[in-house]
Amino acid sequence: MFMAEQAASSRPNTPPPGGLRQFLLSQEGVLLLLGVAMVLLLATRSDKFLTVDNLLNQGRLLAEIGLVALPMTYIIITGGIDLSVGSIFGLCAVVLGFSWQVVGLPLELAIVVTLITGALAGLVNGLFIVRVGVPPLIMTLATLAFYRGLAQGISEARSVTGYPEWFFGMGQGDFLGVPQQLWVLALATLVAGIILGLTTFGRALYAIGNNETAARFSGLPVDRYKLLIYTFSGLMSGVAGYIFVSRVTTTRSDMGSGLELDAIAAVVLGGTSILGGSGSILGTIIGVILIQLLKNGLALTGVTTDATTVVIGVVLIAAILFNTFIQRRRAQ
Amino acid sequence: MNAFSAGLTRFIPLLLGALLLAAYTLLPVVIQPERGATTPYVLLENRANNELELPTAGLQLVAMAALGALCLGVWNVLAPQFGRAIAVLTALCGGLALTYFIIFARDYAAEEATYLASLGPGFWLMLATAGLLLAQVLLPRPRPPARYAIMRVLGNQEGVLLLTVLAMTIAVGIANPRFVAERNLSDIIMTTSYIAIAAIGMSMVIITGNIDISVGSLMGLLALISGRVSLLTDWASATFGLATPEARGLVIAVSWVAPVLCGALVGALIGFAVTYLKIPSIVVTLGMRSIIFGGMVVWTNGERVVDMPPEYFLAQMRPLNIPMPIYFMVVLVIVAALWMRYSAAARALYAVGGNAEAARLSGLNERRVIMQAFILNGVFAGVASLLYATQFQTIQPTPQPNVELAIISAAVVGGVSILGGTGTVIGAMLAALLLNAIRSALVFINVSPFWVQAVQGVLILLTVLADIFRRRRQST
């Protein structure tokens, strides 16, 4: 696909990059149009949908997936994948609860321990992938089982509740009228977007995804970068786990099961190629928002959750189909 | 390596094995002579009858490990050319003893912990010896000629898996004989069978360099379809007057074949999207997973299927007193293994997965091959779901959680490379067996079931690492 794009951009009669037309034909543009159309359609079906309250509340719900989807975008751009994020999420939730209630750490310190746990879990993934050469899919499949197993083993099916009041601020509180976790997500998105789009580190990720050997021979520190993004993925899963515990006020070991697939779906829907080499943070965030609004809007118009699952599956495949169609047209 | 150290290396497993055995048998007597001489019996006797009258059955694992190391040591002296293989097996014995000491004696059975504590320095001697048994694998040994069968067995994933399954069965069986009771073993194989059968299809898909993460949902759906069709027996007899046993049998047969055909259909659909629409398989099946999952719940309204006719329960049949799923598993694995090895169509799967470009240039129709893999995957998922559906009296309206994880893990642990091009279905079956047996084994040696998944995760990682290192060594 990369070759095709290159061939296309070297043609004299293709429009110069940038411009509205270019954006509208990109996956992000298509998604944005689709999203706006969908919002308008759903707004006519339910008057509760397009209200500030509802939308902010949806923001609360999508923050966790969003936070996990950001590093997932990086990883998928390099041609890798991280299936263990849901399990790290659950492990971090359990570590948070048990290091506070059972070990007896102060809650502030427990949060720090949780984040370190997440980063370490990601680092372990990265080390095996980079140093030993285990394919990312297999490595994170193994740790998908292992981290979830650790969470189950530590918690032994007990849940932790009874957190102090201040702890719920992150999950339930507002800052300047907007849910706190949305600020976190917005900040993280901004930073992640800038890093990916405007730094050499970001460009290197694309280079790795397009041709890892070439990237290595061009002197890019491929191993260090990969280690970084998998660690980052673990860390963000930890942050998301912390926010989730704060939102639902309890800790259980099965938290975050299937989160990895939701995050991957959002990333892929956002136009990031699962084969690596292309994608953007903007697309990912639009993907995350689109899925959440679709869920919420359909639920408000009386569609069951399970039928919504079907719709999301169809949208995912259709969006990718449309994207490949456009890519092929452009390549011709 | 000079002659002296080579000679020493030759005797090390024997010495260590003897030391561990001696420590196990003699130390309790030497250190606490007041307890009286129990030496002749301690090896064979269950220590439930020991002088402390404590049920310390797990300790026999250490005795077995010591005996095993001793036998291997003798073998090493007699046939040093097997040195490397013996070193690995001896290390396994050391690992077994260590595992017992570290995990179980410390926090599980208080009686055993008490008993071990009463040994004082003897306990530490055993611990250290076990550690040395493990460490001796690092000693340099001459590379053996490749013609020995044992090296060939250890040189491929199937051999390692088979040895691990056997070693584990024997070890756990000694620690807790109920583990090897016929009932438990057949339970393990029963629960393995449908995972193993689905793993055959998954192996084929992965060998072509694709993946299917929707297979768990698909199996749930196919099981429901099968169950629903079987409910039509009464309807058919009422509508068409087909009350004869033959007609009922026909409907049952249809309900058995339906999931296989529907599976093939869904497989063809996925294959079409992957090959002709050119969507990467992980994305297609990610989407299919939600479509099937949601569609299934919408269709059934979340209701279970119950009251299937009595003839329907295929998996509960026991011809020759052996459960039906075992026949299915064995026959399908053998047929698939032969097919994968000898038929041109199956070799094409490997060719496409190994090097798609080369396969195309040599005239293979890549699309057709991948399509074929997905259809076969659907067929095997259909058979698997049939065995799953007919196993119990009810069919759940939601797929079993994580079943695709179990299936993909079985394929990968069995040596199917996720990069495509290599792997066998026998390996996948053995891996499914191992992953399931471990679950059961941990229960029988009283490890909390909450740790099962963590152990499985480590196991998946270990086998994959072993595979990677072996390939690296073979390629250099």
Side-chain angles (χ1 to χ4, degrees), chain B residues 249-339:
Chain B
L250 188 69
V251 177
I252 296 289
V254 170
S255 74
W256 287 347
V257 176
V260 180
L261 292 181
C262 294
L265 203 67
V266 175
L269 198 65
I270 296 175
F272 176 77
V274 172
T275 53
Y276 290 91
L277 302 181
K278 294 208 185 329
I279 314 176
S281 53
I282 190 168
V283 180
V284 177
T285 52
L286 187 64
M288 279 307 273
R289 187 177 183 273
S290 1
I291 295 175
I292 295 175
F293 177 81
M296 181 169 148
V297 181
V298 172
W299 175 47
T300 60
N301 224 347
E303 284 163 18
R304 299 180 301 177
V305 178
V306 287
D307 298 331
M308 282 83 76
E311 312 92 304
Y312 172 66
F313 298 99
L314 182 66
Q316 294 178 5
M317 296 176 186
R318 298 172 68 94
L320 303 177
N321 211 18
I322 298 173
M324 197 60 140
I326 299 181
Y327 288 103
F328 268 86
M329 179 173 81
V330 171
V331 169
L332 286 177
V333 165
I334 290 177
V335 169
L338 290 176
W339 184 75

Side-chain angles (χ1 to χ4, degrees), chain A residues 221-237:
Chain A
V222 173
D223 287 350
R224 189 144 42 93
Y225 284 2
K226 279 182 155 180
L227 213 52
L228 260 177
I229 57 176
Y230 283 98
T231 310
F232 179 47
S233 177
L235 176 68
M236 292 309 259
S237 307

Side-chain angles (χ1 to χ4, degrees), chain B residues 7-369:
Chain B
L8 199 63
T9 311
R10 189 168 169 178
F11 286 97
I12 277 179
L14 180 64
L15 291 177
L16 289 177
L19 187 60
L20 184 58
L21 195 62
Y24 179 82
T25 48
L26 294 178
L27 274 176
V29 188
V30 175
I31 291 174
Q32 292 171 312
E34 70 272 16
R35 284 211 206 129
T38 49
T39 321
Y41 306 106
V42 278
L43 265 185
L44 304 170
E45 165 196 51
N46 185 328
R47 288 210 174 181
N49 307 321
N50 63 20
E51 57 279 12
L52 291 179
E53 308 245 314
L54 294 172
T56 50
L59 270 177
Q60 286 181 328
L61 274 182
V62 181
M64 287 316 295
L67 265 184
L70 194 69
C71 296
L72 287 166
V74 172
W75 188 20
N76 195 41
V77 172
L78 296 179
Q81 66 269 38
F82 294 122
R84 287 185 167 208
I86 293 173
V88 173
L89 295 173
T90 313
L92 270 179
C93 292
L96 189 67
L98 264 190
T99 315
Y100 172 72
F101 284 135
I102 292 172
I103 300 178
F104 309 108
R106 293 242 355 239
D107 43 40
Y108 137 62
E111 296 89 353
E112 295 189 12
T114 318
Y115 181 74
L116 285 176
S118 74
L119 293 182
F123 169 70
W124 295 108
L125 180 64
M126 280 197 264
L127 194 67
T129 317
L132 286 177
L133 275 174
L134 192 64
Q136 54 80 34
V137 77
L138 299 173
L139 288 174
R141 284 189 174 81
R143 182 179 278 268
R147 65 175 185 276
Y148 292 109
I150 183 81
M151 287 315 291
R152 278 210 302 276
V153 169
L154 285 177
N156 66 51
Q157 192 83 348
E158 291 88 352
V160 174
L161 286 172
L162 190 63
L163 279 183
T164 318
V165 170
L166 288 180
M168 199 189 70
T169 311
I170 294 172
V172 179
I174 288 162
N176 188 342
R178 276 176 299 155
F179 178 73
V180 286
E182 186 252 339
R183 190 181 153 69
N184 186 52
L185 287 186
S186 87
D187 268 2
I188 293 176
I189 301 181
M190 282 273 278
T191 45
T192 304
S193 61
Y194 62 94
I195 299 287
I197 290 171
I200 299 175
M202 182 64 76
S203 302
M204 293 177 183
V205 167
I206 296 181
I207 284 171
T208 64
N210 288 287
I211 197 160
D212 181 358
I213 51 178
S214 67
V215 70
S217 304
L218 178 62
M219 277 173 59
L221 175 73
L222 295 177
L224 280 172
I225 290 179
S226 170
R228 288 257 170 142
V229 172
S230 80
L231 293 183
L232 295 180
T233 39
D234 294 335
W235 171 82
S237 54
T239 315
F240 303 113
L242 295 175
T244 58
E246 289 80 18
R248 280 180 70 87
L250 188 69
V251 177
I252 296 289
V254 170
S255 74
W256 287 347
V257 176
V260 180
L261 292 181
C262 294
L265 203 67
V266 175
L269 198 65
I270 296 175
F272 176 77
V274 172
T275 53
Y276 290 91
L277 302 181
K278 294 208 185 329
I279 314 176
S281 53
I282 190 168
V283 180
V284 177
T285 52
L286 187 64
M288 279 307 273
R289 187 177 183 273
S290 1
I291 295 175
I292 295 175
F293 177 81
M296 181 169 148
V297 181
V298 172
W299 175 47
T300 60
N301 224 347
E303 284 163 18
R304 299 180 301 177
V305 178
V306 287
D307 298 331
M308 282 83 76
E311 312 92 304
Y312 172 66
F313 298 99
L314 182 66
Q316 294 178 5
M317 296 176 186
R318 298 172 68 94
L320 303 177
N321 211 18
I322 298 173
M324 197 60 140
I326 299 181
Y327 288 103
F328 268 86
M329 179 173 81
V330 171
V331 169
L332 286 177
V333 165
I334 290 177
V335 169
L338 290 176
W339 184 75
M340 301 275 283
R341 192 168 172 97
Y342 294 111
S343 86
R347 300 314 294 177
L349 297 178
Y350 289 97
V352 165
N355 188 338
E357 188 63 31
R360 211 173 10 246
L361 290 177
S362 47
L364 283 174
N365 185 341
E366 189 195 350
R367 288 176 169 177
R368 224 165 84 186
V369 173

Side-chain angles (χ1 to χ4, degrees), chain A residues 179-250:
Chain A
Q180 282 193 14
Q181 62 261 58
L182 262 189
W183 289 105
V184 176
L185 178 62
L187 187 70
T189 308
L190 199 66
V191 171
I194 289 174
I195 289 179
L196 183 64
L198 301 177
T199 64
T200 45
F201 174 75
R203 302 314 296 170
L205 296 186
Y206 289 103
I208 295 172
N210 276 317
N211 189 335
E212 188 172 330
T213 318
R216 225 177 266 279
F217 281 130
S218 334
L220 290 175
V222 173
D223 287 350
R224 189 144 42 93
Y225 284 2
K226 279 182 155 180
L227 213 52
L228 260 177
I229 57 176
Y230 283 98
T231 310
F232 179 47
S233 177
L235 176 68
M236 292 309 259
S237 307
V239 175
Y242 155 54
I243 292 177
F244 187 72
V245 171
S246 165
R247 174 158 74 79
V248 301
T249 72
T250 171

